[in-house]
C-alpha cells in the first residue's frame, strides 16, 4: 500500500481527479498532511466519510515506525526507524544557531563502500521511497511542533547515495520545498553526493536552487581510490569537469566535504594538493572531524591538527570552516545506530 507521502502536490491533485473528485480535494489532503500534520486520515475532517474510507482502502499514512531515539547533551537527536518491510534507517536532527536541521537517509544500506563510513558496513538493500524520505522529515517536525519550533534546513547526507536514488530524492525535495508543503526554502536544502558524474549533469540541468555538496575526502586519485571506490568509476578529472558544468549552469558555490583522517589525508601535501584542485573555482571546504567507528581503524585529528590544515587552505585562498562536532556522546557516526541495532537483533 502506498503512503500519501509518496505523492507531491501535483500528483496529489491528479490522484483526486482520477478518483472523480475535484483537484481542490487533492489540495485539501496536501494541506492536512503538511500544514495540519495529521496522524490519521480520519482527522481530515473537511473530507466526507466516503472519501476518507476510500483513501484508507488505497493509502496508508506514515510508512515508518520509530524504534528508538538518542538525545545528545547538545540537542542532537538521532532517530532509528523501521520500514513496513522491516528495514532500518536513521535520521538526525541537529540544532544550530541558525535553526534546526534534519539529516535524511535516502537508501537502506549503501553500495558506495567508503573505507571510513559506518553506512557502508551493510550493502544497499533497496532505495527508500519518496514517502519514506518525507516521513523522516515529518516525524522530526512533529517533535518540534511540541516546542513551537520548525525545521529550517534539510540535508540529504544520511545513509545512502542520493544520486543513486535520483528520481525519488528529487520528488521528495519538491514536496518539502513546496510552499503548500513544509515550505523549506531551496537554499536551505543540501544534497550530498560522493560524485555520481552522470547524475551531476542531470542535477545541473534541473536548475534548482538546492545546494550541492560533494564528499571529496582526498585531493588526488590514488588516495581517493583507496578511500572511495566511486573514484575508480568517476576519477577526479571527470568529477571536476561535471562540477564545472554545474557551476556554469547554476552560478552556485560548491561545497566540498573533507573528513580529516589522522595520518591518511591530513598532511601538508594534501592541503596543498586540495588547494591546487580547487584553484579558481567558486568552492568552499567543510573540514569534518571524524566520528570513530568501532569497525574501522581510522582516527580523528586533534583540533590543533585540524587548524594547521585549515590555515594552509586559507593561506592558499580556499575558503573553509571546521565543522562543529554534534552528538559526540551518542552514536554520532552516520549509520552507527542502525548497525548496532542490526547486530543486536542477530
Amino acid at each position: 500500500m502506498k503512503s500519501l507521502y509518496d505523492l507531491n502536490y501535483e500528483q496529489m491533485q491528479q490522484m483526486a481527479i482520477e478518483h472523480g473528485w475535484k483537484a481542490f480535494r487533492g489540495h485539501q489532503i496536501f494541506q492536512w498532511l503538511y500544514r495540519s500534520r495529521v496522524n490519521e486520515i480520519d482527522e481530515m475532517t473537511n473530507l466526507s466519510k466516503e472519501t476518507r474510507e476510500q483513501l484508507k482502502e488505497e493509502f496508508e499514512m506514515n510508512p515508518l515506525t520509530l524504534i528508538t531515539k538518542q538525545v545528545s547533551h547538545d540537542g542532537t537527536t538521532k532517530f532509528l526507524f523501521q520500514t513496513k518491510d522491516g528495514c532500518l534507517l536513521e535520521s538526525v536532527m541537529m540544532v544550530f544557531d541558525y535553526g534546526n536541521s534534519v539529516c535524511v537517509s535516502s537508501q537502506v544500506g549503501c553500495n558506495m563502500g567508503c573505507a571510513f563510513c559506518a553506512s557502508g558496513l551493510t550493502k544497499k538493500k533497496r532505495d527508500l521511497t519518496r514517502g519514506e524520505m518525507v516521513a523522516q522529515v515529518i516525524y522530526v517536525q512533529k517533535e518540534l511542533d511540541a516546542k513551537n519550533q520548525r525545521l529550517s534546513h534539510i540535508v540529504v547526507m544520511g545513509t545512502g547515495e542520493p544520486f543513486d536514488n535520483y528520481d525519488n530524492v528529487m520528488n521528495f525535495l519538491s514536496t518539502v520545498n513546496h510552499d503548500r508543503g513544509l515550505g523549506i526554502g531551496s537554499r536551505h536544502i543540501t544534497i550530498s553526493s560522493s560524485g555520481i558524474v552522470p547524475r551531476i549533469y542531470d542535477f545541473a540541468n534541473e536548475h534548482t536552487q538546492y545546494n550541492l555538496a560533494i564528499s571529496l575526502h582526498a585531493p588526488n586519485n590514488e588516495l581517493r581510490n583507496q578511500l572511495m571506490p566511486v573514484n575508480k568509476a568517476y576519477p577526479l578529472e571527470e568529477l571536476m569537469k561535471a562540477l564545472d558544468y554545474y557551476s556554469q549552469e547554476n552560478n552556485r558555490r560548491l561545497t566540498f566535504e573533507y573528513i580529516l583522517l589522522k595520518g591518511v589525508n591530513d598532511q601538508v601535501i594534501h592541503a596543498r594538493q586540495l588547494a591546487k584542485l580547487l584553484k579558481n573555482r567558486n568552492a568552499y571546504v567543510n573540514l569534518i572531524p571524524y566520528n570513530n567507528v568501532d569497525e574501522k581503524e581510522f582516527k580523528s585529528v586533534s583540533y590543533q591538527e585540524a587548524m594547521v590544515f585549515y590555515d594552509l587552505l586559507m593561506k592558499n585562498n580556499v575558503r573553509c570552516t571546521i565543522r562543529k562536532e554534534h552528538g559526540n556522546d551518542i552514536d554520532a557516526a552516520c549509520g552507527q545506530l542502525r548497525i548496532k541495532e542490526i547486530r543486536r537483533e542477530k
Side-chain angles (χ1 to χ4, degrees), residues 271-283:
R272 290 175 176 162
Q273 289 174 346
L274 183 56
K276 183 178 180 180
L277 182 69
L278 302 183
K279 186 177 181 181
N280 298 325
R281 289 185 165 97
N282 184 16

Side-chain angles (χ1 to χ4, degrees), residues 136-301:
Q136 294 174 60
V137 178
I138 289 293
Y139 194 99
V140 174
Q141 180 56 67
K142 285 180 178 179
E143 292 249 324
L144 291 172
D145 285 340
K147 307 174 187 177
N148 291 318
Q149 298 179 19
R150 71 180 300 268
L151 279 171
S152 59
H153 292 71
I154 293 175
V155 291
V156 191
M157 294 185 182
T159 299
E161 164 56 58
F163 281 176
D164 190 36
N165 187 16
Y166 185 84
D167 290 340
N168 281 334
V169 167
M170 296 305 292
N171 188 298
F172 148 65
L173 292 179
S174 75
T175 295
V176 294
N177 171 241
H178 201 286
D179 58 4
R180 290 186 175 92
L182 291 179
I184 296 176
S186 297
R187 291 175 182 257
H188 290 178
I189 293 173
T190 301
I191 303 174
S192 174
S193 174
S194 60
I196 309 294
V197 165
R199 297 292 81 78
I200 292 174
Y201 284 106
D202 291 339
F203 185 67
N205 292 329
E206 299 266 3
H207 298 289
T208 69
Q209 293 297 301
Y210 305 142
N211 301 304
L212 177 60
I214 297 298
S215 295
L216 191 65
H217 310 310
N220 62 67
N221 281 322
E222 181 180 2
L223 181 55
R224 199 164 190 263
N225 285 345
Q226 296 172 27
L227 296 177
M228 303 180 70
V230 68
N231 197 73
K232 297 174 184 177
Y234 307 112
L236 285 173
E237 294 79 12
E238 291 184 29
L239 175 60
M240 300 311 292
K241 182 180 178 181
L243 293 174
D244 287 342
Y245 176 79
Y246 167 82
S247 296
Q248 176 185 327
E249 286 292 310
N250 293 272
N251 194 29
R252 301 299 309 281
R253 184 180 71 176
L254 287 162
T255 296
F256 290 91
E257 297 160 337
Y258 196 99
I259 293 176
L260 288 167
L261 303 168
K262 190 176 182 66
V264 177
N265 65 352
D266 63 331
Q267 305 301 299
V268 170
I269 188 172
H270 298 131
R272 290 175 176 162
Q273 289 174 346
L274 183 56
K276 183 178 180 180
L277 182 69
L278 302 183
K279 186 177 181 181
N280 298 325
R281 289 185 165 97
N282 184 16
Y284 165 89
V285 177
N286 192 8
L287 298 172
I288 304 171
Y290 181 62
N291 285 313
N292 293 334
V293 176
D294 293 342
E295 295 82 358
K296 305 291 184 179
E297 296 181 356
F298 297 103
K299 300 297 180 185
S300 183
V301 299

Side-chain angles (χ1 to χ4, degrees), residues 17 35 37 50 60 66 78 83 96 116-117 135 147 155 164 192 204 212 231 241 269 279 310 318:
I17 293 171
R35 292 301 173 88
R37 292 190 276 279
E50 181 184 357
E60 63 183 1
L66 181 70
K78 176 164 273 198
T83 63
F96 295 94
F116 46 81
C117 185
K147 307 174 187 177
V155 291
D164 190 36
S192 174
L212 177 60
N231 197 73
K241 182 180 178 181
I269 188 172
K279 186 177 181 181
Y310 168 89
V318 176

Side-chain angles (χ1 to χ4, degrees), residues 13-39:
Q13 290 182 307
Q14 184 61 35
M15 180 273 291
I17 293 171
E18 290 172 356
H19 282 74
W21 309 326
K22 293 182 178 179
F24 182 70
R25 190 67 72 208
H27 167 82
Q28 287 177 309
I29 297 169
F30 205 76
Q31 293 287 93
W32 280 115
L33 292 175
Y34 298 104
R35 292 301 173 88
S36 301
R37 292 190 276 279
V38 296
N39 295 308

